[in-house]
């Protein structure tokens, strides 16, 4: 058995034993759907500066610029379809009693693949939120007819319903994530560089409470040394193999 086959067999065994699995995903799971990641050679932050585009200060300085960037990203995501990694996670719900899927992604591809109760840590790019009355509108129109868009209810400036650098993540989201990590037996960490908090520490929390942590990422990550099983392959290729014991690597 090759080293990879051995790791896959170990991961399958852990998953089969588990009744609750917590899953944390990042931009890497959507990479095979053609959605750009943030870091790495072709990452968004190579060409754009986060502080100019993904902060509340940037938005209030120049809402049009920030909205143009989000409109461009909405366009990039619009034609994206879930890949076998998203579908495998959705299918996992049929085999394991409880799955909690926590994602840092704002693309909605997990839901499109059929996952339920997705915890969206960083919001959703298809939602437009009023800066005054808080009204949330779901809109899939690309390009947006008006930039920056206005609230349909009160007419004030609207913003993308996403979490920017320097903003608080909803406590209910943190609570739901930590509760799942506390209650699960196995945690899967997929396609995240592990450098943005609080998601970056979630694997450590799982280890502190003696959970089995399985990481799938193409590249090295800061906390990988602490994890139980580390697979350095594409998530869209590995995830479909993990959840059905009769499948083997081709
Ligand atoms: P990153 O772009 O930081 O990291 C993507 C990770 O996915 C990297 O570690 C890659 O090695 C890995 N990867 C790429 N393709 C893969 C594949 N096919 N299979 C498996 N792994 C693959 O994205 P995140 O960790 O999600 O926040 O970034 C976290 C947050 O930083 C984002 O939510 C965003 C960003 O700034 C905000 O905008 C607030
Ligand atoms: Zn409003």
């Amino acid at each position: 058995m090759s080293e990879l086959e051995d790791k896959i067999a170990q991961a399958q065994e852990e998953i089969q034993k588990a009744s609750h699995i917590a899953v944390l995903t990042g931009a890497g799971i959507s990479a095979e759907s053609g959605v750009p990641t943030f870091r790495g050679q072709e990452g968004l932050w190579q060409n754009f500066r986060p502080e100019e585009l993904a902060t509340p200060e940037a938005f209030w300085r120049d809402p049009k610029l920030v909205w143009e960037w989000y409109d461009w990203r909405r366009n990039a995501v619009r034609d994206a379809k879930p890949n076998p990694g998203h579908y495998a996670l959705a299918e996992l719900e049929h085999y394991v009693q409880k799955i909690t899927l926590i994602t840092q992604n704002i693309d909605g591809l997990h839901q499109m693949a059929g996952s339920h109760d997705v915890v969206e840590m960083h919001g959703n790019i298809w939602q437009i939120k009023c800066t005054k009355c808080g009204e949330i509108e779901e809109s899939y129109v690309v390009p947006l007819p008006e930039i920056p868009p206005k609230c349909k209810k009160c007419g004030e400036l609207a913003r993308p319903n996403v979490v920017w650098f320097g903003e608080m993540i909803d406590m209910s989201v943190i609570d739901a994530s930590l509760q799942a990590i506390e209650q699960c037996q196995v945690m899967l960490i997929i396609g995240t560089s592990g450098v943005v908090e609080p998601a970056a520490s979630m694997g450590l929390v799982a280890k502190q409470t003696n959970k089995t942590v399985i990481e799938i990422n193409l590249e090295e990550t800061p906390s990988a040394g602490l994890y139980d099983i580390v697979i350095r392959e594409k998530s869209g290729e590995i995830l479909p193999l993990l959840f059905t014991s009769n499948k083997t690597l081709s």
Side-chain angles (χ1 to χ4, degrees):
M1 211 189 248
S2 73
E3 196 190 336
L4 177 59
E5 283 170 330
D6 192 36
K7 283 181 182 178
I8 288 173
Q10 280 176 38
Q12 284 172 339
E13 197 181 318
E14 293 296 334
I15 288 162
Q16 264 166 13
K17 281 191 297 193
S19 59
H20 185 173
I21 298 182
V23 185
L24 171 68
T25 65
I29 194 161
S30 296
E32 288 156 82
S33 295
V35 180
T37 60
F38 293 92
R39 294 166 188 83
Q41 274 187 358
E42 285 168 25
L44 287 173
W45 296 148
Q46 289 289 334
N47 299 314
F48 300 98
R49 290 161 62 90
E51 62 275 20
E52 279 170 18
L53 293 162
T55 64
E57 293 78 19
F59 179 72
W60 289 109
R61 191 166 54 229
D62 195 344
K64 187 162 174 281
L65 175 76
V66 170
W67 262 116
E68 276 166 355
W69 189 60
Y70 275 91
D71 202 39
W72 174 80
R73 284 182 62 196
R74 284 163 62 98
N75 188 45
V77 172
R78 181 181 56 174
D79 296 327
K81 300 273 175 302
N83 66 57
H86 296 107
Y87 286 118
L89 287 176
E91 210 180 317
L92 187 61
E93 291 181 9
H94 301 295
Y95 300 107
V96 181
Q97 221 175 342
K98 190 168 159 84
I99 302 290
T100 307
L101 179 45
I102 308 158
T103 188
Q104 297 166 88
N105 300 345
I106 59 179
D107 55 28
L109 290 178
H110 284 304
Q111 292 91 325
M112 210 187 282
S115 282
H116 297 94
D117 302 324
V118 179
V119 180
E120 292 184 307
M121 287 191 77
H122 292 165
N124 188 302
I125 202 165
W126 301 113
Q127 292 176 358
I128 298 174
K129 185 179 179 183
C130 178
T131 57
K132 181 127 192 269
C133 75
E135 176 80 1
I136 294 174
E137 183 200 341
E138 200 161 74
S139 158
Y140 293 88
V141 179
V142 178
L144 284 163
E146 185 189 16
I147 288 185
K150 305 283 179 333
C151 173
K152 283 235 166 87
K153 204 166 147 198
C154 76
E156 289 293 328
L157 178 64
R159 57 167 285 174
N161 190 25
V162 300
V163 179
W164 284 321
F165 289 104
E167 288 188 315
M168 297 280 289
I169 292 178
D170 216 30
M171 263 330 275
S172 61
V173 166
I174 306 281
D175 281 350
S177 309
L178 292 178
Q179 201 180 34
I181 294 169
E182 195 179 299
Q183 290 171 355
C184 75
Q185 295 87 38
V186 173
M187 179 170 189
L188 293 172
I189 302 182
I190 305 160
T192 176
S193 54
V195 295
V196 175
E197 294 293 356
S201 294
M202 288 186 171
L204 306 186
V205 175
K207 276 323 299 171
Q208 274 164 358
T209 49
N210 296 318
K211 307 301 159 66
T212 300
V213 178
I214 303 170
E215 180 184 65
I216 303 167
N217 193 311
L218 272 181
E219 290 167 18
E220 203 49 53
T221 63
S223 304
L226 298 171
Y227 301 154
D228 302 277
I229 303 170
V230 174
I231 300 177
R232 293 271 166 265
E233 301 284 335
K234 290 185 175 175
S235 49
E237 291 174 7
I238 296 300
L239 285 171
L241 302 175
L242 292 189
F243 311 139
T244 32
S245 49
N246 55 355
K247 284 191 189 166
T248 50
L249 277 173
S250 54

